Amino acid sequence: MNKEWEMVIGLEVHVELSTKSKIFCSCTTEFGGEPNTHCCPVCMGMPGTLPVLNKKVLESAISAGLALNCEIEREPRFDRKNYFYPDLPKAYQISQLYKPIAHDGYVEILVNDNVKKIRIHEMHMEEDAGKLIHSDFDNETYPDYNRCGVPLLEIVSEPDFRSAEEVSAYLDKIRALFTYLEISDCKMQEGSMRADVNLSVRRKGEKTLGTRTEMKNINSIKAIERAIENEADRQVDLLLSGERVVQETRHWNDDKRFSYAMRSKENAQDYRYFPEPDIPPMIVTDEMVGDIRNNLPEFMEAKKERFMKQYGLSEYDAGLLVLNKKQAEFFEVVVSEGVEAKAIANWLIGYFSRSLRENNLEFEDLDISPVELSKLITYVEEGKVNRKEGLEILDNIIKGCGPEDVEKYIKDNDLFVSTDNSELEAEIDNVLSNNQKVVDEYKSGKEKVIGFLVGQVMKNGKGKFNPSNVKTIMEKKLKGEV
Amino acid sequence: MIKELTAVEIGKKIKAKELSAIELVEELNNLRLQNDSIVNAYTNFDIEKIRENAAAVQKKIDCGELNSVLAGVPIGIKDNICTEGELTTCASKILKGFTPPFDATSVKKLKQAGMIVAGKLNMDEFAMGSTSETSCYGAVKNPWNTNKVPGGSSGGAAAAVAAGEAVCTLGSDTGGSIRQPASYCGVTGFKPTYGMVSRYGLIAYASSLDQIGPVARDVRDCAAIMDVISGIDGKDSTSRNYSSSTSFLDSLTGNVEGKVIGVPEECFGDGVDADVKQSIEEMIKEIEKIGAKVKTIHLPFIRYAVPTYYIIATAEASSNLSRFDGVKYGFRSDNASSIDDLIIHSRSEGFGQEVRKRILLGTFVLSSGYYDAYYNKALKMKQMIVDGFEKAYKECDVIICPTAPMTAPEIGSSLEDKMKMYLSDIFTVSANLAGLPGLSVPCGFDKNNMPIGAQILGAAGEDRSVLNMGYAYQKISDYHTRRPGGIR
């Protein structure tokens, strides 16, 4: 971006709450499902039905508000936002305008080693809409109301961002806070976290804000970064060439890396907000807020600091471990089983994440007994089981087909490294006598070939032998020392 | 025979095996066939289904499984209250063919008590009107004089009871829609405290004002129905528990000694028919004779009630009725080539004129730039009316005034002078704005032999006192037992 200019960005982030049931009825919030199977007369807005607030949504919203350092509204209310669209069966969305559940908060983000405060204007609860499915087969559009009534939080920031990096740091931060609260899985790809970017540009040093555009529903952080860079450049180019920025909603096409205007905000809809008469104002008591505050989890930064202090981990290791709350908790359980912290940290950061990636899984998908895993790690780290075999077992565990009883499995498959050297020596002798040609090569000075011989022993031993032990004894034998 | 009996009396006869639910619905059907081609009280009457239900209920009664007061008694339901698997159209073309997949909570309770849902009742389209002339099924006629309107919007409910085509009915009241037609038709109608009866399944007109209530032959019937339909409902967050140790029916003692009747001076001024004034004044004198005290009070805010009502009600209606867009159910216009077109044409063709007018008015008062001038101001006024009544009830137990300033007008005359129609709601709307209970009881006839109704209003939750005052009056009067002669 042109160095004389700066971008000014405000974000509206929508987060789907992972409550079991919807915000105003008892239908499941589960993602997917055949169209129109996760709905009832209430979430389909049939005439005569009434909404009844799911208390869990209010609790989640309060905990989110506290995590975002907000003031919690004590008499929050719902309002109706009226607009016609076939995916909105009541033709109004129950949302909050006049008395949102939380307001005037902030989060701190870390960009280029500087801490920056991003102010939160307000955060409110609302219901999601359904979606329209266009069928090319018969050229008709069909509504799917499964998503109608899935609870959402919308977090509206102040226009405090000055770069794409700040925006992605903020989104990471919100995801970290909300996944730590276990109120949302914040998956942008599945749409459980969505961001609308309001962006304007101005010459550095200017105080007034330029005309902004809005980009809606971009579905990955990388794409948001690209969209921001592109839009900021587009606006600067426009202004430099004497044109003006039009206030409008633009759609970002991430494949083609360009945006186009969707609708002009100048003839913006009038949503005719008014207080939702079907839901009386809620009462949020001090006790309620106090209880929720007392039960807030240890958040990412605090956990990272503690891991460094308590377990002597490097900032890098601790930082990676706490990225995922489940992983961090698992780490501590395994440590409590007596495994050395650094060892389990290496396993989680290294082997685990590789295996998860290869198998296209998430840590949350795993169903692993920390006790069994502790045994496995201990055996490998103490040399009782070879790393190769250990990691094969781990891979199977991660895939969900691992042994229930690690010790029994290792025993049954004879995978414990043999402590009986006579067995090893016999196997070495066997390999040496069957590979006279290679032995001769070794003796003629091509010492590298020992790798092949060790490999043969290891192969025949099926994990029973320790490779360095094999090498030591074999070297001695080849040199005639024993 | 059933024409002369009240619901409670019929219930007793059923229990005593002197009557069966099966006979009852046949007799009712005959009365309907005799009169309804003229009265037009029903929008739908599925006799086969009703016979089936009556047989099933009678069987349960015979087995002793049902012994509630009203078990076996048929009840008509206003067409804006959802009945599972049965047409529910709000008398609007836009809900043509709509059958809800669920019962309104009140209907569910009626069925549980062994009452037989017998027919859906005509009304002003979406309950918007005071004359029952805006129905897509045509105007309802007043059984006392079929050139006159029955009142509205629950005109079908009141006319059916008056004509003997229904024993009792459920109506809804947003600005007087139970009380005013009850008054025009010479029957008894009760609008409970807001929240006393679940609104779940009542197709909303104005959510903060709507309330379901009974229209019946006397106060005892209303009380017996209240015993069935009242109570907090997990499906309606605005419902409340006004618990009491005595049932509505048992609380009718007829004893009003020492009770103070507030008579608001504002309700007896110009614009109120002389006959109406006189009947109410005589009624008050009669009640005074049995021990009640009378006190003149002031309700200065009442002149703001109608504009306040029309702003709030239309604002909420504009939003509540937005869901009727031709996409999901009911009427869909054929004249559409895009989704915007589909919505615009379906609504323009599907809603009647009065409904379209109120939607436009409501849309206007909520639109940006006007919200504070209209809607917000109306909300403030609503609070002042709540406070004003609270103050008034420090001086009296109940308030008695005319239900409407005049008796039923000629059919067609209100359509020519809408302002006059709106203003005729003046005595009823403030009870909705303040959420208070209101009862209309017959108290006389004008010079043209059209019924006059008196309204008894009480403080929030004081529904039993209101009903008891009405009961006390009905014990010493017989206007509520009079029925129109032959219907022509």
Side-chain angles (χ1 to χ4, degrees):
Chain A
M1 178 164 175
N2 189 313
K3 290 212 157 42
E4 289 167 26
W5 293 73
E6 70 173 356
M7 53 176 104
V8 177
I9 300 170
L11 284 190
E12 288 161 28
V13 178
H14 286 89
V15 172
E16 259 181 19
L17 293 176
S18 49
T19 49
K20 276 212 180 70
S21 50
K22 293 185 177 180
I23 183 167
F24 299 123
C25 66
S26 52
C27 289
T28 176
T29 56
E30 217 170 280
F31 181 71
E34 286 290 300
N36 301 312
T37 54
H38 295 174
C39 35
C40 71
V42 175
C43 55
M44 293 182 76
M46 296 196 83
T49 59
L50 297 169
V52 176
L53 178 64
N54 176 351
K55 291 257 157 50
K56 280 269 182 273
V57 172
L58 182 60
E59 287 164 18
S60 298
I62 294 172
S63 67
L66 292 173
L68 300 172
N69 302 300
C70 286
E71 301 284 326
I72 303 298
E73 173 62 46
R74 295 315 161 96
E75 280 186 43
R77 272 189 345 212
F78 282 103
D79 300 295
R80 289 189 186 175
K81 179 182 183 180
N82 297 284
Y83 64 95
F84 290 101
Y85 202 67
D87 70 2
L88 190 68
K90 298 192 296 294
Y92 58 82
Q93 180 192 31
I94 304 179
S95 179
Q96 296 192 287
L97 177 71
Y98 296 109
K99 288 216 176 169
I101 179 67
H103 56 90
D104 295 306
Y106 65 89
V107 291
E108 287 177 338
I109 55 170
L110 190 67
V111 176
N112 302 328
D113 289 331
N114 293 317
V115 173
K116 178 167 179 177
K117 217 176 232 192
I118 302 294
R119 292 168 302 154
I120 308 287
H121 180 65
E122 55 100 355
M123 183 198 78
H124 61 261
M125 303 176 274
E126 61 187 23
E127 57 179 341
D128 209 344
K131 59 183 178 191
L132 298 181
I133 303 165
H134 189 79
S135 162
D136 289 327
F137 176 68
D138 57 4
N139 202 29
E140 297 275 0
T141 301
Y142 296 94
D144 174 7
Y145 296 122
N146 281 353
R147 208 177 61 185
C148 278
V150 167
L152 293 178
L153 292 181
E154 178 173 342
I155 304 135
V156 182
S157 83
E158 298 288 354
D160 286 351
F161 302 95
R162 295 293 176 271
S163 71
E165 295 79 52
E166 290 178 6
V167 168
S168 51
Y170 172 81
L171 292 171
D172 279 338
K173 177 78 181 206
I174 287 184
R175 171 157 50 204
L177 290 172
F178 286 14
T179 52
Y180 262 65
L181 286 170
E182 298 180 39
I183 59 173
S184 173
D185 53 18
C186 294
K187 287 180 185 165
M188 289 195 99
Q189 290 77 2
E190 286 185 13
S192 60
M193 182 163 163
R194 314 192 276 269
D196 301 342
V197 179
N198 288 290
L199 186 149
S200 65
V201 296
R202 63 184 174 193
R203 281 185 195 276
K204 279 183 183 160
E206 257 177 51
K207 289 277 175 277
T208 52
L209 292 170
T211 304
R212 68 168 193 270
T213 61
E214 183 176 19
M215 291 184 288
K216 278 182 176 297
N217 291 335
I218 314 171
N219 65 4
S220 80
I221 291 186
K222 283 281 161 243
I224 288 173
E225 287 182 5
R226 287 190 284 265
I228 288 173
E229 299 292 353
N230 180 285
E231 178 59 13
D233 287 342
R234 190 189 70 88
Q235 291 188 12
V236 172
D237 288 349
L238 273 178
L239 295 171
L240 285 176
S241 61
E243 291 180 61
R244 66 185 190 101
V245 174
V246 180
Q247 187 172 345
E248 63 194 358
T249 300
R250 300 182 67 83
H251 178 80
W252 171 249
N253 183 323
D254 196 52
D255 294 331
K256 298 186 176 157
R257 306 282 160 88
F258 81 106
S259 67
Y260 58 89
M262 285 168 72
R263 58 170 184 243
S264 168
K265 273 241 168 179
E266 278 165 327
N267 38 32
Q269 296 221 32
D270 181 353
Y271 291 119
R272 294 175 283 120
Y273 278 98
F274 73 103
E276 168 57 273
D278 287 331
I279 307 171
M282 295 151 269
I283 305 290
V284 176
T285 61
D286 288 349
E287 286 79 1
M288 205 172 158
V289 176
D291 280 353
I292 292 171
R293 194 190 296 277
N294 291 337
N295 286 311
L296 288 179
E298 176 186 43
F299 284 111
M300 197 183 272
E301 278 76 24
K303 205 180 273 295
K304 180 176 144 189
E305 293 294 322
R306 182 169 63 79
F307 277 16
M308 289 164 64
K309 225 182 263 172
Q310 188 174 340
Y311 301 112
L313 296 177
S314 69
E315 183 172 2
Y316 179 79
D317 285 355
L320 287 176
L321 275 183
V322 301
L323 269 183
N324 181 310
K325 186 191 183 193
K326 284 270 163 353
Q327 173 175 278
E329 286 171 353
F330 188 78
F331 164 81
E332 292 209 273
V333 176
V334 177
V335 170
S336 73
E337 289 294 321
V339 180
E340 201 223 330
K342 179 67 188 163
I344 171 65
N346 286 342
W347 276 65
L348 287 170
I349 295 164
Y351 308 135
F352 264 71
S353 46
R354 189 178 353 142
S355 179
L356 287 171
R357 215 169 30 244
E358 282 166 4
N359 292 301
N360 211 5
L361 293 168
E362 310 236 4
F363 199 89
E364 282 73 13
D365 301 328
L366 299 184
D367 178 21
I368 299 183
S369 151
V371 179
E372 294 305 309
L373 189 79
S374 311
K375 284 184 196 158
L376 180 66
I377 296 176
T378 308
Y379 292 146
V380 172
E381 293 303 323
E382 289 179 354
K384 289 180 180 159
V385 170
N386 283 325
R387 198 161 292 264
K388 180 169 168 282
E389 280 71 27
L391 293 183
E392 277 169 13
I393 297 174
L394 176 71
D395 211 40
N396 284 334
I397 291 177
I398 285 174
K399 279 190 262 183
C401 51
E404 260 177 44
D405 184 334
V406 167
E407 190 179 351
K408 185 169 180 293
Y409 178 84
I410 293 172
K411 256 192 204 144
D412 290 353
N413 291 281
D414 207 9
L415 294 177
F416 276 119
V417 171
S418 169
T419 47
D420 178 2
N421 271 356
S422 61
E423 197 185 350
L424 171 57
E425 283 182 32
E427 187 54 44
I428 291 177
D429 290 342
N430 176 35
V431 167
L432 291 184
S433 63
N434 286 334
N435 292 280
Q436 195 54 53
K437 239 177 111 184
V438 187
V439 173
D440 291 344
E441 276 181 55
Y442 180 88
K443 287 187 173 160
S444 70
K446 281 181 81 176
E447 293 191 356
K448 267 193 203 159
V449 297
I450 194 169
F452 171 76
L453 295 169
V454 170
Q456 291 299 304
V457 177
M458 290 304 292
K459 194 176 144 198
N460 295 344
K462 289 178 178 141
K464 218 179 344 182
F465 308 128
N466 177 310
S468 65
N469 202 16
V470 173
K471 198 179 171 204
T472 315
I473 294 175
M474 187 173 282
E475 270 174 345
K476 281 184 185 165
K477 285 206 186 255
L478 285 169
K479 287 176 180 158
E481 289 169 14
V482 285
Chain B
M1 164 190 194
I2 63 165
K3 249 182 117 169
E4 282 75 46
L5 298 173
T6 66
V8 172
E9 286 163 355
I10 290 173
K12 264 187 200 147
K13 285 193 183 291
I14 290 173
K15 204 165 285 170
K17 315 272 185 225
E18 291 165 30
L19 258 179
S20 85
I22 301 163
E23 293 169 64
L24 262 173
V25 298
E26 295 303 333
E27 202 176 332
L28 198 70
N29 190 38
N30 288 337
L31 287 164
R32 183 186 66 90
L33 291 172
Q34 267 171 39
N35 296 330
D36 211 48
S37 58
I38 299 168
V39 178
N40 199 25
Y42 286 95
T43 59
N44 188 40
F45 196 93
D46 184 350
I47 183 63
E48 286 311 318
K49 205 165 186 178
I50 296 166
R51 280 180 182 135
E52 261 173 52
N53 290 340
V57 166
Q58 187 58 48
K59 202 172 160 194
K60 280 190 181 171
I61 293 171
D62 293 341
C63 301
E65 286 170 33
L66 274 173
N67 49 17
S68 46
V69 176
L70 297 177
V73 178
I75 183 163
I77 309 289
K78 190 177 178 181
D79 200 33
N80 61 349
I81 301 174
C82 288
T83 41
E84 186 177 343
E86 281 180 75
L87 285 173
T88 301
T89 69
C90 293
S92 177
K93 180 179 168 187
I94 209 158
L95 271 174
K96 201 176 150 197
F98 178 67
T99 52
F102 60 93
D103 272 330
T105 297
S106 52
V107 170
K108 201 169 155 188
K109 287 179 158 188
L110 294 174
K111 288 182 178 174
Q112 280 163 357
M115 293 191 79
I116 296 154
V117 169
K120 300 304 286 278
L121 294 158
N122 211 347
M123 53 188 278
D124 280 298
E125 184 183 3
F126 280 101
M128 295 179 181
S130 315
T131 61
S132 299
E133 291 171 286
T134 66
S135 163
C136 73
Y137 305 102
V140 184
K141 312 282 167 50
N142 193 316
W144 291 89
N145 178 342
T146 51
N147 292 320
K148 306 249 182 188
V149 304
S153 65
S154 310
V161 173
E165 295 179 41
V167 178
C168 53
T169 58
L170 275 198
S172 71
D173 190 317
T174 306
S177 283
I178 285 175
R179 292 159 287 160
Q180 184 254 30
S183 161
Y184 283 5
C185 292
V187 296
T188 305
F190 181 57
K191 176 230 169 270
T193 297
Y194 185 79
M196 183 78 84
V197 177
S198 168
R199 288 188 296 116
Y200 188 81
L202 169 63
I203 299 179
Y205 161 18
S207 314
S208 70
L209 309 172
D210 293 343
Q211 189 63 192
I212 290 175
V215 181
R217 293 182 179 168
D218 67 6
V219 171
R220 280 175 63 77
D221 282 4
C222 287
I225 293 167
M226 281 304 292
D227 277 326
V228 177
I229 63 173
S230 63
I232 195 164
D233 179 16
K235 288 181 171 165
D236 176 3
S237 317
T238 63
S239 70
R240 279 186 57 185
N241 223 350
Y242 290 95
S243 55
S244 167
S245 50
T246 37
S247 70
F248 282 92
L249 200 53
D250 289 343
S251 68
L252 301 180
T253 60
N255 179 2
V256 292
E257 231 182 294
K259 294 285 176 194
V260 180
I261 297 170
V263 180
E265 210 172 56
E266 292 81 359
C267 301
F268 293 84
D270 293 343
V272 181
D273 275 3
D275 292 352
V276 172
K277 261 189 242 182
Q278 198 190 336
S279 290
I280 309 283
E281 281 162 2
E282 277 168 17
M283 167 191 178
I284 292 168
K285 273 183 205 143
E286 291 300 312
I287 302 179
E288 223 178 343
K289 284 183 197 157
I290 53 171
K293 295 193 176 86
V294 176
K295 190 172 180 184
T296 300
I297 60 162
H298 295 277
L299 304 175
F301 50 83
I302 208 156
R303 63 199 185 100
Y304 301 109
V306 170
T308 303
Y309 168 79
Y310 275 96
I311 289 169
I312 291 175
T314 57
E316 292 181 9
S318 73
S319 173
N320 285 329
L321 272 62
S322 291
R323 71 191 69 199
F324 307 109
D325 56 7
V327 172
K328 302 160 300 261
Y329 38 73
F331 173 77
R332 176 184 289 187
S333 171
D334 292 327
N335 309 316
S337 53
S338 70
I339 183 61
D340 285 348
D341 257 18
L342 174 81
I343 296 173
I344 292 166
H345 287 296
S346 298
R347 290 169 65 78
S348 302
E349 296 163 29
F351 287 129
Q353 195 202 12
E354 183 65 24
V355 175
R356 290 204 302 275
K357 185 161 108 184
R358 294 198 195 191
I359 289 172
L360 287 174
L361 180 58
T363 305
F364 171 73
V365 298
L366 287 178
S367 55
S368 100
Y370 296 98
Y371 181 86
D372 284 327
Y374 294 105
Y375 188 73
N376 231 357
K377 205 175 270 177
L379 283 186
K380 282 178 193 153
M381 198 56 229
K382 183 176 188 248
Q383 190 55 47
M384 283 176 71
I385 292 172
V386 171
D387 297 343
F389 271 112
E390 220 163 81
K391 215 174 125 197
Y393 285 115
K394 285 189 177 132
E395 297 180 59
C396 60
D397 297 299
V398 296
I399 291 170
I400 294 182
C401 66
T403 305
M406 62 228 171
T407 57
E410 299 280 322
I411 286 174
S413 67
S414 303
L415 300 176
E416 286 157 20
D417 189 353
K418 287 273 172 72
M419 277 318 286
K420 195 175 174 194
M421 179 178 86
Y422 298 154
L423 288 172
S424 74
D425 294 340
I426 182 157
F427 302 140
T428 47
V429 291
S430 39
N432 299 82
L433 290 167
L436 309 179
L439 173 72
S440 180
V441 289
C443 67
F445 291 86
D446 71 358
K447 53 188 173 299
N448 300 315
N449 200 36
M450 290 306 289
I452 296 170
Q455 181 174 226
I456 306 172
L457 295 171
E462 292 299 323
D463 302 48
R464 286 172 174 80
S465 313
V466 170
L467 288 167
N468 190 45
M469 184 61 70
Y471 176 65
Y473 176 65
Q474 290 191 339
K475 276 178 74 174
I476 54 169
S477 64
D478 69 351
Y479 296 112
H480 61 285
T481 64
R482 301 205 202 163
R483 292 290 166 256
I487 288 162
R488 292 172 316 248

